Amino acid sequence: MTTPPTANHPHSVTLRFLAAPTDAGITGTVAAGTVLEWVDKAAYAAAVGWSANYCVTAYVGNIHFADPIHSGDLVEVTASVVYTGRSSMHIRTEVSFSDPRERKPVTSSTCLVIFVAVDEHGKPTPVPSFTPGTARELELREHALARIEIRERIVASMNNQSYTDAGTAERVVLRFMAAPTDVNWGGKVHGGIVMKWIDEAADLCASRYSGLDTVAVFSGGVRFYRPLHIGNLVEVEARLVYTGTKGMHIAVHVRSGDPKTNQLELTTYCLTVMVARDESGTAVPVKAWEPVSEEDSRLWHHARELLEIRANAPGGYTPTHLSHEHPTAKVAQ
């Protein structure tokens, strides 16, 4: 039975707060990983409010990081349920910010997050159906539906890849224990914390390759396979797979497991695009990475395939360095 939004099932949540000095990274602006953590928290609040159940992050769609957020900015993160499946909720998030002295909000990023409601045994449980009540809500629902096929193609492409020591590209591996401070409301590691780790590993990998400070401009296809537990040994591996004119495409795998064993299982995977910046903060070109091994070449073509898939998504665009191959596509400047 369809359950319309009611006071008992609010479908939208807005978090408001000041960006703290501790939110700023070494570049002086708020790191992408911190923004992703905010997005995950707001989306979680919307999912729990709508479903009245504990919820887990299943997927975070494409998110572009536009204007940088600084310490002291007034931040708003709005998360709204736009489509529901049996147990899943597709939640659109929008991050905006302003100087509190001027109050001229700027939209920094938007993305679609999928949460799944689970019962006390961790099994998916049904959620109330969401029915759009306005033209804008109907538009966002259609946008979410249009992205389902795109997402399935991205996930299928990612699942078909393997990463071994045969790769020769720049690679970094971070290892540490999941701490009690990383906990979420269900007693496991917060999805936003995992995304912050992903950003940190991608930043280190890109900085080593370019020899410059780097910043994330895009994260996509963040898929959560299984929960990560407090006390687990965590391994975050970031590997360069492709370079454009300025962008460095970094594939990141998060694995975790009981530290008393040697077994680590894949927890999360995504692809992040980083750019190098000069002293003025302007994005600068990076040296082209040329595949050497068969695995290098396969992953290089995999990154190109993902670019083409995303170019066909609603609101998608083609990077400038590939525009000659797709002359009718919308081009990113």
Side-chain angles (χ1 to χ4, degrees):
M1 182 179 70
T2 298
T3 303
T6 67
N8 293 327
H9 292 280
H11 79 289
S12 186
V13 171
T14 298
L15 307 183
R16 294 184 181 90
F17 50 88
L18 290 174
T22 52
D23 293 327
I26 59 174
T27 60
T29 60
V30 175
T34 299
V35 176
L36 287 167
E37 186 179 1
W38 295 342
V39 163
D40 192 64
K41 287 181 177 179
Y44 173 83
V48 171
W50 180 256
S51 66
N53 275 288
Y54 173 62
C55 300
V56 295
T57 313
Y59 191 89
V60 179
N62 304 341
I63 178 169
H64 296 269
F65 302 98
D67 296 296
I69 301 173
H70 296 82
S71 171
D73 281 345
L74 177 63
V75 180
E76 288 194 3
V77 187
T78 298
S80 305
V81 176
V82 296
Y83 173 70
T84 53
R86 180 182 178 276
S87 60
S88 64
M89 290 153 287
H90 296 227
I91 300 169
R92 181 185 185 272
T93 65
E94 179 175 311
V95 181
S96 61
F97 67 95
S98 63
D99 185 322
R101 296 166 297 184
E102 300 176 359
R103 290 192 170 273
K104 296 179 180 179
V106 175
T107 298
S108 174
S109 58
T110 62
C111 78
L112 198 67
V113 184
I114 299 177
F115 269 83
V116 174
V118 296
D119 60 21
E120 63 272 18
H121 305 293
K123 302 297 183 182
T125 188
V127 300
S129 296
F130 174 72
T131 301
T134 66
R136 176 57 173 164
E137 289 174 356
L138 181 60
E139 178 187 1
L140 293 175
R141 178 182 183 275
E142 294 305 313
H143 183 277
L145 286 170
R147 293 206 62 87
I148 291 177
E149 181 183 357
I150 297 294
R151 182 169 57 255
E152 290 175 347
R153 291 176 60 191
I154 290 172
V155 170
S157 179
M158 288 180 163
N159 287 344
N160 287 334
Q161 304 308 314
S162 60
Y163 294 74
T164 73
D165 291 338
T168 68
E170 187 74 48
R171 176 170 59 168
V172 299
V173 179
L174 307 180
R175 293 188 180 92
F176 49 87
M177 304 288 284
T181 51
D182 300 326
V183 70
N184 66 9
W185 295 273
K188 302 177 180 63
V189 174
H190 198 292
I193 294 293
V194 176
M195 289 189 283
K196 180 178 284 190
W197 296 340
I198 287 172
D199 180 61
E200 291 171 350
D203 182 36
L204 177 56
C205 182
S207 296
R208 283 189 175 180
Y209 176 77
S210 65
L212 296 166
D213 290 334
T214 63
V215 63
V217 294
F218 170 85
S219 284
V222 187
R223 189 178 182 193
F224 293 82
Y225 293 92
R226 53 180 53 83
L228 198 157
H229 300 275
I230 300 301
N232 273 178
L233 174 64
V234 181
E235 178 181 276
V236 186
E237 178 184 352
R239 180 191 297 195
L240 179 72
V241 294
Y242 181 79
T243 54
T245 304
K246 298 177 181 178
M248 293 164 280
H249 296 231
I250 312 292
V252 185
H253 293 78
V254 181
R255 305 178 182 90
S256 65
D258 189 327
K260 297 186 292 294
T261 71
N262 292 322
Q263 296 181 342
L264 296 179
E265 294 185 302
L266 182 63
T267 300
T268 311
Y269 170 57
C270 84
L271 191 138
T272 296
V273 181
M274 312 290 296
V275 297
R277 304 196 303 183
D278 60 19
E279 294 180 353
S280 68
T282 303
V284 296
V286 296
K287 59 185 177 182
W289 176 70
E290 300 293 339
V292 176
S293 68
E294 182 280 331
E295 181 167 311
D296 291 343
S297 180
R298 173 171 48 77
L299 293 176
W300 188 93
H301 283 93
H302 166 57
R304 289 281 293 249
E305 179 185 29
L306 292 181
L307 283 172
E308 293 178 359
I309 292 173
R310 291 187 171 110
N312 294 320
Y317 60 81
T318 298
T320 304
H321 74 282
L322 297 181
S323 60
H324 66 283
E325 299 178 18
H326 305 274
T328 63
K330 182 179 177 181
V331 177
Q333 300 299 324

